[in-house]
Amino acid sequence: IGDGAAGGNYGYANSGYSVYEEENERLTESLRTKVSAIKSLSIEIGTEVKNQNKMLSEMDNDFDSAGGLLGATMGRLRTLSRGSQTKLLCYMMLFALFVFFVIYWIIKLR
């Protein structure tokens, strides 16, 4: 080869192309590791999103059942309130009096 360069280089060593090739290889490897890290991170994010969606759907089901229970309780309370108002008021007053005396007794014992 006419430039005096080695047979396999084709003049790259003299013209500075080998420096650029090495830099490109280094940058390519750096890019490859970063892409690999981003890929694994996105897979982990996808897994976490699936888990969170599953938990949210379970919570939705729990809230639905609690809402049904609350609705049934409110229905019973409405039925109870349609009855005799004086009887209900008397029971509430007796309960409040009982709680008051229990608290008074507990405080007196200390």
Side-chain angles (χ1 to χ4, degrees):
I1 311 226
D3 309 13
N9 281 346
Y10 299 109
Y12 288 152
N14 291 338
S15 62
Y17 284 127
S18 65
V19 173
Y20 292 125
E21 284 292 323
E22 289 173 7
E23 181 71 15
N24 280 342
E25 288 296 323
R26 188 180 61 78
L27 290 175
T28 302
E29 186 60 35
S30 173
L31 184 62
R32 186 175 294 125
T33 57
K34 288 177 184 177
V35 166
S36 175
I38 290 173
K39 179 183 175 185
S40 65
L41 185 62
S42 65
I43 289 172
E44 289 176 11
I45 288 172
T47 304
E48 184 66 26
V49 166
K50 286 178 186 175
N51 290 338
Q52 294 293 328
N53 282 338
K54 181 181 174 188
M55 191 180 344
L56 282 175
S57 69
E58 289 173 358
M59 283 178 58
D60 187 38
N61 293 338
D62 291 343
F63 279 122
D64 284 344
S65 65
L69 183 65
L70 186 61
T73 303
M74 290 302 291
R76 289 188 199 124
L77 193 62
R78 264 189 234 108
T79 304
L80 183 65
S81 69
R82 287 185 194 141
S84 146
Q85 294 291 332
T86 55
K87 192 176 183 181
L88 179 64
L89 187 61
C90 183
Y91 285 144
M92 300 248 313
M93 290 298 286
L94 286 174
F95 178 73
L97 215 64
F98 174 74
V99 170
F100 174 74
F101 281 121
V102 167
I103 291 174
Y104 177 75
W105 182 69
I106 290 173
I107 291 174
K108 192 122 174 148
L109 287 178
R110 286 187 175 194

